[in-house]
Amino acid sequence: MKGYGVAELSVERIGTHEFLGRNDRGAIVRIGRAGADGSFSPGELLQIATAGCTAVTTEELITRRAGDDARMVATVTHERAEGGREYQRLEVLLRADLDFLDEDTRRRVIRAMRTAVERQCTVSRTVERGAQVGLTIVPA
């Protein structure tokens, strides 16, 4: 389903357990099973989307104070029940050099960053609320 301002997305099988994800802007990502060389598993893509959304959402708050060359790294880990087929928790760790700020300003910036993610990060909000997923299968 294509919405206003949303890229057309597709995933095409290119080999055994090998797929290419594409958008209409020319970006490509390799998708495969967990542990496959040179590709992301679907679960890894969900995790990296969560970390990426956090980074994109907070970037302006960081660069406004630290400058356009500010370094930031968002990493993500997951928890899954033994034998479980879904993640129980995703934990994003955002590292950004804010040491040059005084303690009060740093606290306010971190609070603003957290609020921005809670209000604007589409991926985190979707995961937290549990979006429904529909499936239509069309014989080729």
Side-chain angles (χ1 to χ4, degrees):
M1 184 182 325
K2 191 171 182 178
Y4 176 76
V6 176
E8 181 72 29
L9 303 173
S10 66
V11 176
E12 178 183 2
R13 181 177 186 264
I14 59 168
T16 304
H17 309 308
E18 294 181 276
F19 302 85
L20 289 181
R22 292 185 170 100
N23 68 18
D24 58 3
R25 296 183 314 277
I28 297 172
V29 62
R30 293 186 67 83
I31 304 169
R33 289 192 173 180
D37 289 340
S39 64
F40 290 98
S41 72
E44 290 170 332
L45 288 171
L46 175 66
Q47 292 175 69
I48 207 164
T50 304
C53 191
T54 298
V56 168
T57 301
T58 59
E59 176 187 30
E60 186 176 328
L61 289 166
I62 293 168
T63 59
R64 191 179 325 152
R65 286 156 185 85
D68 287 337
D69 60 346
R71 179 155 163 74
M72 59 187 291
V73 177
T75 58
V76 62
T77 56
H78 69 273
E79 292 176 16
R80 181 190 323 217
E82 189 172 329
R85 300 298 298 168
E86 67 274 338
Y87 301 122
Q88 294 182 303
R89 179 173 177 76
L90 300 177
E91 183 69 33
V92 176
L93 174 64
L94 179 64
R95 290 183 181 97
D97 183 11
L98 301 173
D99 287 344
F100 64 92
L101 299 173
D102 64 72
E103 189 173 326
D104 186 50
T105 303
R106 187 170 44 248
R107 237 188 330 266
R108 283 195 321 270
V109 170
I110 290 171
R111 188 175 334 117
M113 291 166 62
R114 183 175 303 281
T115 299
V117 170
E118 290 169 354
R119 291 183 181 167
Q120 300 171 17
C121 183
T122 303
V123 177
S124 295
R125 292 169 56 93
T126 301
V127 169
E128 289 168 356
R129 293 187 171 126
Q132 295 181 1
V133 178
L135 173 64
T136 302
I137 299 173
V138 180

